[in-house]
């Protein structure tokens, strides 16, 4: 007797596409069955004409994150509800420390903020510089030994992935600290997630942009002051530290061919522990979005790039150089974005996307012949779970969480803001339409989206203690 039986669907996994029925007991996948196998069940879901996928995993989101321009617009309820409606059954967000706070204390404080999550989630730990500048030299702050010593307790608490910034004053770590942190992360079999841009060079270019008589209103300057060479250079440094430490690293939000080639080169030189992430904004948009009067909306870092880079990203997805697609969902309202309309340097950086990834990648990838159905599931569901240590998710097999999406390839969905559920008043993909969208979503055996309506309850999401099982 099953709790839930999903019948008549086409099962799509990272490896295969097959007609199968699925039985669920106690929140877990219990059986993958030949279609039409007679079974008793409490509830039955007919997936005829639809794909049945593992729930999508978004390994990079920023809900209720404090910034200089206020908090990101989605809280844990609105953000995870929008995610669920887009076929996402788990997200990984971040923990940031305040001065003097330990990683464990920051985790406890962050967990308080997640109480209204409607889907499961993990948390990356951000390792920030925490020591005062050197008293004699005034040299940049560094990461203390005490901070690095907290990595093992964070790992035991289920946070095995650690964010390190190579850009942004106040957040960026020095090269030596990058290496020290990676050595500590390696000790716990963790994953270092890297924001790879050369922060010092960016600050010089941004200051120069103001002096050269250019209009700071012109948002294309955002891309010009964060050139691809600068991203390439930082990726190379990150890979050097990965080689020296032996740590597993994931370079976040790769949007240009130059940076991706660093990952490809690392693999060729026998560094299998270097991984790459890209995001839908780099696959669907180009820097042209920064050129119009509404350019400030599309300010994110690294910036959107020219068409040739976008084309390269698509090729690198199928050649396995880029391992996962995450959103870097970082939503700001138009009012927040407009606070910087006179100076591109004051615009809060980030674009939304938590709800649109699976449908958009089906539209632009699968339907346009750039990804197979199995690539799509590998990049959006299975590989993100493996790399971030969500070991009970990302696959459809007995014993795995019954986190499932019934994706109807015939549904039409407009990506206007009015059709989406993030707590913002604009969409990064206005004017675009998808054929194919998640119809029903199951989280740990419970239907939380039925016929594109959210039917789950606030606060049902669990914090997941993660452990990476890659060799
Ligand atoms: Zn981010």
């Amino acid at each position: 007797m099953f709790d839930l039986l999903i019948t008549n669907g086409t099962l799509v996994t990272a490896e295969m596409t097959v007609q199968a029925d699925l039985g669920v007991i106690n929140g877990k996948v219990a059986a993958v069955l030949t279609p039409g196998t007679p079974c008793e069940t409490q509830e039955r879901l007919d997936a005829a004409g639809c794909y049945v996928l593992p729930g999508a995993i978004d390994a990079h989101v920023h809900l209720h994150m404090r910034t200089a321009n206020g908090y990101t617009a989605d809280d844990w309820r609105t953000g995870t509800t929008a995610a669920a409606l887009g076929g996402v059954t788990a997200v990984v967000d971040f923990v940031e420390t305040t001065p003097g706070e330990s990683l464990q204390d920051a985790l406890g404080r962050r967990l308080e903020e997640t109480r209204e999550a409607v889907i499961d989630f993990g948390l990356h730990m951000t390792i920030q510089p925490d020591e005062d500048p050197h008293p004699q030299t005034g040299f940049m702050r560094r990461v203390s030994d005490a901070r690095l010593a907290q990595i093992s307790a964070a790992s035991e608490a289920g946070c095995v992935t650690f964010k390190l910034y190579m850009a942004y004053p106040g957040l960026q770590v020095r090269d030596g600290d990058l290496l020290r942190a990676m050595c500590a992360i390696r000790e716990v079999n963790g994953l270092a997630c890297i924001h790879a841009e050369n922060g010092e060079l960016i600050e010089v270019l941004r200051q120069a942009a103001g002096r050269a008589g250019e209009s700071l209103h012109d948002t294309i300057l955002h891309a010009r002051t964060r050139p691809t060479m600068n991203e390439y250079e930082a990726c190379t440094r990150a890979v050097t530290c990965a080689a020296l430490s032996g740590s597993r690293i994931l370079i976040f939000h790769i949007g240009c061919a130059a940076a991706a080639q660093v990952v490809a080169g690392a693999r060729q030189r026998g560094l299998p522990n270097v991984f790459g992430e890209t995001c839908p904004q780099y696959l669907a948009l180009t820097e042209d979005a920064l050129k119009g009067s509404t350019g400030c909306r599309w300010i994110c870092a690294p910036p959107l790039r020219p068409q040739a880079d976008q084309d390269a990203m698509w090729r690198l997805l199928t050649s396995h150089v880029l391992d996962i697609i995450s959103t870097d969902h970082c939503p700001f309202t138009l009012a927040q974005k407009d606070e910087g309309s006179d100076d591109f340097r004051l615009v809060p950086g980030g674009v939304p996307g938590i709800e649109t990834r699976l449908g958009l990648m089906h539209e632009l990838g699968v339907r346009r012949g750039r990804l197979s159905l199995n690539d799509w599931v590998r990049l959006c569901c299975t590989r993100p779970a493996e790399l971030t240590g969500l070991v009970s998710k990302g696959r459809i097999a007995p014993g795995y969480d019954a986190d499932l999406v019934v994706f109807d390839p015939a549904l039409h969905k407009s990506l206007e803001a009015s059709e989406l559920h993030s707590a913002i008043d604009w969409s990064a993909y206005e004017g675009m339409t998808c054929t194919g969208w998640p119809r029903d979503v199951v989280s740990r055996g419970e239907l939380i989206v039925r016929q594109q309506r959210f039917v789950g309850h606030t606060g049902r999401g669990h914090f997941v203690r993660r452990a990476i099982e890659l060799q």
Side-chain angles (χ1 to χ4, degrees), residues 60 62 94 163 253 328:
H60 188 167
H62 298 280
F94 296 82
K163 173 82 176 277
H253 40 50
D328 198 5

Side-chain angles (χ1 to χ4, degrees), residues 152-412:
S152 95
S155 157
E156 278 160 27
C159 298
V160 290
T161 50
F162 299 85
K163 173 82 176 277
L164 291 153
Y165 287 90
M166 298 175 74
Y168 297 118
L171 277 175
Q172 76 187 64
V173 298
R174 297 158 57 185
D175 293 351
D177 289 350
L178 198 59
L179 178 59
R180 290 167 65 230
M182 283 189 200
C183 289
I185 292 164
R186 191 210 137 98
E187 287 297 308
V188 299
N189 192 32
L191 172 75
C193 302
I194 313 293
H195 181 122
E197 289 186 292
N198 186 318
E200 273 194 69
L201 300 190
I202 288 169
E203 291 312 310
V204 172
L205 295 174
R206 281 160 71 89
Q207 283 162 24
R211 293 194 206 106
E214 296 140 313
S215 167
L216 294 173
H217 180 78
D218 188 357
T219 41
I220 192 66
L221 286 175
H222 175 70
R224 300 282 177 265
T225 53
R226 304 181 98 95
T228 57
M229 189 54 114
N230 190 71
E231 205 179 324
Y232 166 85
E233 186 282 327
C235 287
T236 305
R237 226 163 353 115
V239 167
T240 302
C241 291
L244 293 174
S245 65
S247 175
R248 197 180 281 125
I249 71 167
L250 172 65
I251 299 182
F252 267 170
H253 40 50
I254 294 176
C256 68
Q261 288 308 333
V262 178
V263 177
R267 302 254 176 92
Q268 281 161 12
R269 283 198 307 279
L271 284 170
N273 286 349
V274 176
F275 302 98
E277 171 198 84
T278 191
C279 312
Q281 53 270 34
Y282 304 114
L283 296 162
L285 305 168
T286 68
E287 65 175 18
D288 289 349
L290 294 169
K291 290 176 181 166
S293 58
T294 57
C296 67
R297 299 180 192 183
W298 285 276
I299 283 187
C300 59
L304 300 178
R305 300 297 188 188
Q307 185 66 49
D309 284 297
Q310 187 199 102
D311 295 342
M313 291 304 104
W314 283 108
R315 288 193 299 275
L316 293 164
L317 284 171
T318 46
S319 63
H320 295 238
V321 169
L322 297 172
D323 297 273
I324 66 172
I325 301 172
S326 321
T327 63
D328 198 5
H329 178 71
C330 194
F332 292 99
T333 62
L334 289 180
Q336 285 174 301
K337 284 282 190 183
D338 283 344
E339 279 172 33
S341 60
D342 292 333
D343 182 343
F344 75 94
R345 298 172 299 190
L346 303 177
V347 178
V351 293
I354 203 166
E355 186 173 0
T356 46
R357 178 182 55 138
L358 197 61
L360 193 57
M361 292 301 99
H362 176 264
E363 177 67 29
L364 300 180
V366 177
R367 276 178 37 88
R368 303 231 182 135
R370 297 192 276 207
L371 297 178
S372 69
L373 282 170
N374 310 103
D375 288 333
W376 174 55
V377 169
R378 171 173 55 82
L379 291 159
C380 295
C381 313
T382 305
R383 208 59 184 138
E386 282 175 0
L387 272 183
T388 63
L390 287 163
V391 293
S392 65
K393 300 188 184 292
R395 290 184 180 274
I396 300 178
Y400 277 80
D401 287 353
D403 285 9
L404 305 160
V405 176
V406 176
F407 188 95
D408 184 344
L411 281 175
H412 292 283

